[in-house]
Amino acid sequence: MKRVAIFVFAAGLALGCAEARAQKLSAADKKYSELANYDESKVPQYTLPDPLVSRDGTRVTDARTWERKRRPEVFAMFETYMFGKAPGRPKAMHFEVKHIDPNALDGRATRKDVEIYFTAGESDPSIKLQVYTPNGVTGPVPMFLGISFMHNCTVTDDPGVAVPEPVAGGRALKRGMMKEAWQLDMILENGYGLATYCYTDIDPDFDDDFQNGIHPLYYTGSQQRPDPDQWGSIAAWAWGMSRAMDYLEKDKDVDSKHVAVIGHSRLGKTAVWAGASDPRFAMVLSGNSGCCGVAISRRMYGETIEAMNVRFPHWFCGNYKQFNNREMLAPFDQHELVALIAPRPIYIASAETDNWSDQKGEFLGGKGAEPVYALYGLKGIGTDTMPGIDEPYADGHIAYHIRKGPHAVLRFDWEQFIKFADLHFRGKK
Ligand code: GCU
């Protein structure tokens, strides 16, 4: 009896906390959506930090100096002040291919269900990676590695993928409910593979002061939460993409030299940071990554750093909070995050009605990285004018489009991503 009472009381408390959290969040949502500027004439005057000027004031004029001297400086700024430092590859990490279906999707593909463990024990967080490769091809295939908002069963309607029971209070999952966002059929038809995992495998997406998910596994001594320069949730999700890459490098059906990372929205920010921090990713596809992704923060158009840090305090490291409403004082801006991908190709996808993500800011994030690509003799976006709707600029190493419709990844986006991969991975014009 006593136990039941304690349980009911504890459950009530938990619910109370969740409710209080939801209320706090919706008040902040309202505040920041009311405060958001969508008037181009109110964008403040700003000067972007020059990616090619080193801390000692000297100018970088060649790719070697960029790579040896300036790139590490830029990387360290993003790592220390924004995303936070992540640990390396865990020593005890191991993989288990739990199941292989060589005849998935009516024989069109092979599906592998892989579990990636980070510790010797198997009860700690792990990645459940779902890997599809097309059948009837010769040799290993180039891949898209996507970080997903939902369970792997939502990516495809493959009846072989188990649909889990919803967690208490959670949304019921339907097989294939996110199909449109993943376009697995199109990917396979074009001779590419698709690997996905759900981001919450690494760290649940709410602010609990880093008590659940992957972070506590790395606390040392009496540490209770990451230090101000240590990884937030976005860096943790991106770290997971690198761990998935550790597996892909071992899979003989995968051409691991040609893996493109993709994510949308908060997971677009994640994919861009994964590409910046792990040079094994040969291409980056940013879906509506917006503020703190590829959009220039100094524009303060749509979402701002403060709006982000208040509503999602767990996404970035503690140090990043000092730039709330002080974007002009940050020693970097998001064009330099794009520059960290150079000379690898990046595709920046914006959407027409997604003003919150600041489409022009995303375009300018790509533009601002051009001088770094130029050090390699590579063309970036290649023009100063924003394109028309559904008219991609995609013949350089920095591609950009603004697609008709909402904040999402849709069929049109994938058509462009595949063409972009064909161009850079297969030399197809
Ligand atoms: C919020 C947030 C964005 C983010 C988006 C998403 O809108 O403000 O920065 O990109 O969520 O991930 O869906």
Side-chain angles (χ1 to χ4, degrees):
M1 184 63 197
K2 204 165 154 204
R3 258 208 207 145
V4 173
I6 290 173
F7 173 76
V8 172
F9 176 70
L13 256 187
L15 266 182
C17 290
E19 254 165 45
R21 210 168 45 222
Q23 273 169 16
K24 202 170 135 206
L25 195 61
S26 66
D29 283 355
K30 188 164 176 283
K31 172 175 167 195
Y32 289 105
S33 69
E34 280 167 10
L35 280 178
N37 172 45
Y38 293 120
D39 179 349
E40 201 54 47
S41 72
K42 296 203 175 116
V43 168
Q45 289 277 333
Y46 64 86
T47 312
L48 284 182
D50 188 335
L52 294 182
V53 176
S54 294
R55 283 178 61 179
D56 63 10
T58 56
R59 172 159 283 279
V60 175
T61 54
D62 61 89
R64 195 181 142 90
T65 314
W66 163 257
E67 281 175 18
R68 299 245 169 129
K69 181 176 174 194
R70 179 61 182 151
R71 187 185 186 281
E73 288 178 358
V74 174
F75 184 77
M77 287 192 288
F78 280 101
E79 201 186 34
T80 311
Y81 295 111
M82 188 171 184
F83 294 94
K85 295 178 185 148
R89 177 184 168 149
K91 282 207 181 67
M93 191 172 100
H94 57 288
F95 321 114
E96 198 184 318
V97 180
K98 299 233 153 172
H99 180 77
I100 302 185
D101 181 354
N103 277 309
L105 301 166
D106 301 323
R108 286 180 293 129
T110 295
R111 191 191 74 251
K112 298 187 188 102
D113 301 326
V114 181
E115 188 130 4
I116 305 175
Y117 300 100
F118 308 118
T119 56
E122 305 202 335
S123 55
D124 291 324
S126 61
I127 289 179
K128 285 111 197 125
L129 189 70
Q130 175 168 281
V131 185
Y132 282 95
T133 46
N135 285 341
V137 291
T138 41
V141 292
M143 294 289 292
F144 296 101
L145 169 63
I147 180 161
S148 164
F149 278 97
M150 294 179 89
H151 186 270
N152 282 327
C153 72
T154 63
V155 169
T156 161
D157 44 21
D158 179 349
V161 180
V163 181
E165 290 296 318
V167 288
R171 190 169 160 201
L173 294 172
K174 276 212 210 110
R175 191 176 277 126
M177 67 199 280
M178 297 303 290
K179 259 175 89 164
E180 166 95 13
W182 290 105
Q183 298 291 335
L184 177 59
D185 290 339
M186 190 199 299
I187 292 171
L188 293 168
E189 271 157 32
N190 283 279
Y192 291 89
L194 174 68
T196 53
Y197 75 90
C198 178
Y199 74 138
T200 55
D201 285 357
I202 292 285
D203 189 25
D205 188 3
F206 59 86
D207 175 27
D208 72 334
D209 217 8
F210 301 105
Q211 299 312 302
N212 60 19
I214 197 79
H215 296 89
L217 290 184
Y218 289 89
Y219 294 157
T220 53
S222 59
Q223 193 175 15
Q224 302 277 329
R225 62 188 53 79
D227 291 344
D229 66 347
Q230 287 181 324
W231 55 346
S233 293
I234 290 189
W237 300 328
W239 178 89
M241 299 193 93
S242 290
R243 303 294 68 87
M245 183 61 164
D246 295 338
Y247 165 76
L248 293 176
E249 284 188 319
K250 296 270 177 316
D251 184 325
K252 60 170 184 19
D253 298 325
V254 169
D255 170 5
S256 62
K257 296 276 177 279
H258 293 108
V259 175
V261 267
I262 167 157
H264 161 62
S265 205
R266 69 199 68 183
L267 301 180
K269 309 179 209 303
T270 303
V272 177
W273 181 237
S277 49
D278 191 337
R280 293 176 298 170
F281 294 119
M283 176 178 287
V284 175
L285 306 169
S286 151
N288 313 135
S289 63
C291 181
C292 301
V294 302
I296 297 295
S297 301
R298 279 168 170 73
R299 284 173 45 78
M300 301 180 75
Y301 184 103
E303 189 169 22
T304 59
I305 296 178
E306 180 183 298
M308 180 90 58
N309 277 334
V310 169
R311 292 168 62 239
F312 307 103
H314 55 299
W315 283 3
F316 296 96
C317 72
N319 278 341
Y320 198 46
K321 314 280 185 294
Q322 64 188 286
F323 300 112
N324 286 354
N325 216 5
R326 297 170 78 203
E327 0 301 86
M328 305 300 169
L329 299 180
F332 52 85
D333 211 317
Q334 301 310 107
H335 60 306
E336 290 169 297
L337 179 61
V338 178
L340 290 173
I341 315 285
R344 294 163 293 151
I346 174 166
Y347 199 117
I348 297 171
S350 298
E352 185 188 11
T353 61
D354 187 16
N355 297 335
W356 182 241
S357 298
D358 184 12
Q359 306 92 333
K360 185 169 175 193
E362 294 188 302
F363 176 79
L364 294 173
K367 285 294 306 166
E370 284 183 329
V372 175
Y373 281 79
L375 295 177
Y376 295 87
L378 298 173
K379 177 179 168 186
I381 298 182
T383 161
D384 291 336
T385 358
M386 288 271 289
I389 303 297
D390 290 350
E391 288 171 11
Y393 291 140
D395 62 349
H397 271 63
I398 307 172
Y400 177 86
H401 74 227
I402 175 162
R403 167 189 44 70
K404 177 155 73 278
H407 181 75
V409 175
L410 303 178
R411 189 177 172 85
F412 178 88
D413 301 299
W414 274 106
E415 284 165 353
Q416 314 319 313
F417 296 159
I418 289 175
K419 273 193 217 156
F420 196 56
D422 279 349
L423 173 66
H424 293 284
F425 288 173
R426 298 179 158 144
K428 266 205 231 164
K429 299 256 164 179

